[in-house]
Amino acid sequence: MEDIEDLVVGAGGAPPGFRLPLSSVGLKPKKKNNNPTKPNTKLSQIPGIQTIYIKTFGCSHNQSDSEYMAGQLSAFGYSLSDSPEEADLWLINTCTVKSPSQSAMDTLIAKCKNAKKPLVVAGCVPQGSRDLKELEGVSIVGVQQIDRVVEVVEETLKGHEVRLLNRKTLPALDLPKVRKNKFVEILPINVGCLGACTYCKTKHARGHLGSYTIDSLVGRVNTVIADGVKEIWLSSEDTGAYGRDIGVNLPTLLNAIVAELPPDASTMLRIGMTNPPFILEHLKEIAEVLRHPCVYSFLHVPVQSGSDAVLNAMNREYTVSEFRTVVDTLTELVPGMQIATDIICGFPGETDEDFAQTVSLVKEYKFPQVHISQFYPRPGTPAARMKKVPSNVVKKRSRELTSIFEAFTPYTGMEGRLERIWITEIATDGIHLVGHTKGYVQVLVIAPESMLGTSAIVKITSVGRWSVFGEVIETINHINDESSLRNNKPSQAKCPPCTNPIESCPCTREPEPCPCEPESCGDCGPESCGPTTFEESSVSRNSMFAEDLNSRNLIGWLLRKRKNHVHKKVECEIASGSMKKQEWAQGSLGEWGVVDKALLGGIFVSFLTIMALLIHLAVRTLASN
């Protein structure tokens, strides 16, 4: 089917109830005989009274798009539901990065059609592959047409097939929005990219680089801070390329945003994924921003391969040496810096030697987060025409690299430390709250839900592979009061930018800067942003806490081992997203491992010893009489 703007409605003109002129929207009415999804009652055609189910695949940019579409639909009167069965219409926001995500979309579309529900498909799949067979007979919203989702939903509910795919100006940032997490604002700073990676299908959908102006982004930041947001995630297909199409750059934007963050560490900034080529010339400026107490010391920099030959085949436009420069420079200049990366296993032409170089790179840096993917040929990309590595080899390499990565212990040494964290969500177990340190290390704590959206000082009690566990020691009060938020007037004081890229701000005492959440910000002063490790002060401060007497006996050692065992179990299940609250409670109390049995045995032996002593004393007493 053609793009909606190119359609011409028949001689009969616009159908009854169609509100917009044809120059704005076109549509293709469905035939009554072939439309099982067409509502049967006039009442169901009244716009704004139906229930919408929204399903999102893919990246944070896609999530932001879904939140904008949900906001507009909600503002128009539609109800939103997490239950597809209860919904009158399904809206699927798709991802085209990998074959599995598109396959999941295909399955969901088939399920929707079988349920005879009206369907609207949005996102990168229809934008990049508009002629897919699976998209026949469904309405479509393009990635740059999300501000017109209400129109498409209205007409789809009336039984019409509509498509909005033509690119136009960027959607406004001040559209209504329903956030998945009310404390987290995902802020797209640009769409598209300047690259031409041979495996990438997203470029077909998102197109060439298009950046929002600094003024519009700063305005949005001020708005969401007034709304009570505690983390701001800057999102795009390549954050590092920001502004090159409008004559500015990423450091300029970051400094402008940081200057607007409140001084009480109540809102933090997280910088999104950036490819190496576009930050090489700004490394010192980027490092300076990452050192700031209002910004997480964390960056996602995909390398994709440790082989220059493979990177060249991917057309990644950088070398392994240049990637090393990015990592080494940021690690040197930013205390506590955490870097995540991506690896594609089995790219066409990848030899055993190429893969060995990738393994060597990952082993050398021991990244705390590595997203490992098998190569999936995407239709229409140059890589799809290249000679493929046998699938069994691809799977073997993926398993090998995953095994190496999962053997790392990135958080060893954190136990016993005091850290400042920012708490923004409830863990999947329904028991723990999730917070992050300034280095964006995930910390799980047991605390009341009233602590969501706050920051606290915690003591790390145990460490796991994917996260650490903490005990809340002190909550931190924020300067911004509720009245200022109601009046949409953030505190007049702003976060001063750090001026020296080599030295930390006063509040970022060595060796790590004060930990803040993705959207928390701290004034450059120890009173508002405490150090991460507390170093010397931690000795005297720790004396204020009860001494761990259990460490002096066998029972205490067993208790700690038992606690760590349960924590590791919880962490693994939270990481997989499969744990249920009741199952955890029953499993942690009901499963008896080696540590449990040893602990029980120790208690039993102690009991027998005490009884023997009592009997011995009794016998001696009787004998003396």
Side-chain angles (χ1 to χ4, degrees):
M1 182 178 172
E2 305 280 344
D3 283 357
I4 193 168
E5 287 87 346
D6 301 327
L7 294 175
V8 178
V9 177
F18 190 47
R19 297 182 294 105
L20 298 176
L22 292 179
S23 59
S24 176
V25 171
L27 53 82
K28 181 180 179 181
K30 294 184 179 179
K31 296 179 181 179
K32 292 182 180 180
N33 295 337
N34 298 324
N35 181 27
T37 65
K38 187 171 181 178
N40 295 321
T41 66
K42 293 183 178 180
L43 181 63
S44 65
Q45 295 188 18
I46 300 174
I49 66 170
Q50 293 81 6
T51 300
I52 311 297
Y53 166 70
I54 301 178
K55 174 66 177 178
T56 305
F57 295 95
C59 63
S60 61
H61 197 161
N62 255 23
Q63 181 62 48
S64 177
D65 285 353
S66 289
E67 292 176 354
Y68 273 125
M69 289 189 285
Q72 294 170 81
L73 291 168
S74 180
F76 198 78
Y78 292 100
S79 299
L80 305 176
S81 174
D82 293 329
S83 171
E85 291 78 15
E86 296 177 358
D88 299 300
L89 176 142
W90 292 12
L91 171 58
I92 305 175
N93 196 3
T94 61
C95 172
T96 190
V97 172
K98 300 178 185 179
S99 298
S101 59
Q102 187 163 331
S103 297
M105 176 210 74
D106 294 343
T107 301
L108 198 58
I109 288 176
K111 183 178 179 181
C112 182
K113 289 181 177 179
N114 290 336
K116 298 183 178 180
K117 301 274 190 178
L119 174 63
V120 176
V121 177
C124 293
V125 170
Q127 188 74 64
S129 305
R130 62 185 66 185
D131 296 324
L132 281 178
K133 181 180 179 181
E134 291 78 9
L135 298 177
E136 291 180 0
V138 302
S139 295
I140 289 174
V141 179
V143 294
Q144 291 188 24
Q145 302 275 17
I146 60 172
D147 53 348
R148 299 174 69 182
V149 65
V150 172
E151 303 168 32
V152 178
V153 166
E154 279 187 35
E155 297 307 320
T156 304
L157 285 167
K158 294 174 184 176
H160 303 137
E161 177 188 348
V162 292
R163 292 193 170 196
L164 287 171
L165 286 170
N166 282 359
R167 293 187 177 91
K168 57 184 186 64
T169 57
L170 298 177
L173 293 173
D174 59 355
L175 294 170
K177 196 170 192 180
V178 175
R179 300 183 187 91
K180 184 178 181 180
N181 183 332
K182 69 177 182 178
F183 298 113
V184 177
E185 167 72 8
I186 304 172
L187 179 59
I189 62 174
N190 55 263
V191 300
C193 68
L194 294 175
C197 300
T198 55
Y199 57 84
C200 182
K201 185 73 173 178
T202 305
K203 181 65 178 278
H204 295 192
R206 295 285 182 178
H208 198 66
L209 180 69
S211 303
Y212 286 95
T213 65
I214 290 179
D215 287 345
S216 64
L217 291 166
V218 169
R220 180 65 181 174
V221 166
N222 284 322
T223 298
V224 301
I225 291 174
D227 287 343
V229 159
K230 302 304 176 185
E231 291 186 8
I232 300 174
W233 299 358
L234 301 186
S235 177
S236 74
E237 282 64 58
D238 187 354
T239 301
Y242 170 79
R244 289 173 178 259
D245 57 320
I246 57 174
V248 294
N249 58 39
L250 181 61
T252 303
L253 170 66
L254 295 178
N255 284 318
I257 291 176
V258 166
E260 298 300 316
L261 300 177
D264 62 347
S266 60
T267 304
M268 282 291 284
L269 183 69
R270 193 184 81 174
I271 303 174
M273 186 275 289
T274 177
N275 288 309
F278 300 112
I279 61 169
L280 277 167
E281 63 187 87
H282 300 301
L283 279 179
K284 288 188 177 181
E285 295 95 325
I286 297 294
E288 181 179 348
V289 173
L290 288 167
R291 290 164 59 86
H292 195 280
C294 301
V295 183
Y296 282 115
S297 304
F298 170 84
L299 199 61
H300 178 194
V301 187
V303 64
Q304 304 300 7
S305 174
S307 164
D308 283 337
V310 175
L311 291 178
N312 185 59
M314 292 177 172
N315 196 30
R316 289 290 289 169
E317 300 180 342
Y318 59 86
T319 64
V320 176
S321 177
E322 288 172 328
F323 172 78
R324 289 177 181 273
T325 297
V326 172
V327 175
D328 293 342
T329 302
L330 294 180
T331 302
E332 177 185 357
L333 297 181
V334 184
M337 184 69 197
Q338 299 278 311
I339 293 179
T341 195
D342 298 346
I343 299 290
I344 297 176
C345 292
F347 188 82
E350 182 186 64
T351 65
D352 289 341
E353 175 59 27
D354 293 328
F355 178 67
Q357 292 175 19
T358 298
V359 170
S360 177
L361 182 72
V362 172
K363 283 183 175 180
E364 177 183 350
Y365 285 99
K366 291 183 170 60
F367 301 103
Q369 297 180 37
V370 181
H371 308 110
I372 301 169
S373 300
Q374 299 175 29
F375 170 73
Y376 293 103
R378 306 301 294 130
T381 63
R385 300 189 295 271
M386 298 178 182
K387 185 177 180 180
K388 298 176 180 59
V389 176
S391 59
N392 63 317
V393 176
V394 176
K395 293 176 181 178
K396 178 177 179 294
R397 290 174 181 173
S398 176
R399 286 194 297 266
E400 179 183 342
L401 188 59
T402 299
S403 177
I404 291 170
F405 164 63
E406 289 183 348
F408 296 160
T409 54
Y411 308 128
T412 299
M414 288 188 69
E415 191 169 1
R417 262 207 253 169
L418 298 182
E419 297 275 354
R420 185 176 182 178
I421 67 169
W422 285 258
I423 303 170
T424 55
E425 60 183 314
I426 301 173
T428 55
D429 67 349
I431 296 174
H432 291 82
L433 300 185
V434 180
H436 293 89
T437 68
K438 188 179 188 298
Y440 213 64
V441 176
Q442 180 175 271
V443 183
L444 302 176
V445 297
I446 294 180
E449 290 187 20
S450 59
M451 287 195 67
L452 287 170
T454 68
S455 61
I457 301 297
V458 301
K459 181 179 181 181
I460 305 303
T461 56
S462 65
V463 301
R465 174 59 187 86
W466 312 108
S467 55
V468 301
F469 288 83
E471 175 187 353
V472 176
I473 301 301
E474 176 187 350
T475 58
I476 298 175
N477 295 322
H478 297 305
I479 296 172
N480 284 4
D481 61 348
E482 294 183 2
S483 60
S484 67
L485 293 179
R486 283 195 300 267
N487 296 328
N488 290 340
K489 294 180 181 179
S491 173
Q492 295 301 312
K494 304 295 182 181
C495 277
C498 296
T499 56
N500 192 326
I502 304 302
E503 298 180 359
S504 300
C505 287
C507 66
T508 57
R509 301 174 186 172
E510 296 181 356
E512 293 182 356
C514 63
C516 305
E517 273 262 335
E519 280 186 63
S520 321
C521 160
D523 188 21
C524 281
E527 66 280 354
S528 63
C529 194
T532 311
T533 56
F534 289 77
E535 291 197 330
E536 295 180 3
S537 63
S538 67
V539 177
S540 60
R541 185 162 185 176
N542 283 341
S543 64
M544 298 169 60
F545 303 107
E547 185 178 2
D548 187 6
L549 299 177
N550 290 333
S551 63
R552 300 182 182 181
N553 56 62
L554 176 63
I555 301 298
W557 179 82
L558 288 170
L559 284 169
R560 290 197 306 277
K561 293 291 289 182
R562 165 68 171 159
K563 183 178 181 181
N564 290 341
H565 169 74
V566 173
H567 278 181
K568 287 179 180 178
K569 183 172 184 289
V570 171
E571 183 210 22
C572 290
E573 292 176 330
I574 288 176
S576 66
S578 64
M579 189 172 72
K580 300 290 188 292
K581 181 175 180 178
Q582 184 177 2
E583 294 171 348
W584 178 87
Q586 293 174 347
S588 61
L589 296 175
E591 294 180 8
W592 292 86
V594 175
V595 173
D596 304 286
K597 294 174 182 177
L599 179 59
L600 183 61
I603 294 173
F604 183 67
V605 169
S606 298
F607 175 76
L608 291 179
T609 302
I610 293 171
M611 292 300 296
L613 286 173
L614 290 174
I615 293 171
H616 177 71
L617 289 173
V619 170
R620 289 189 61 181
T621 301
L622 291 173
S624 63
N625 292 334

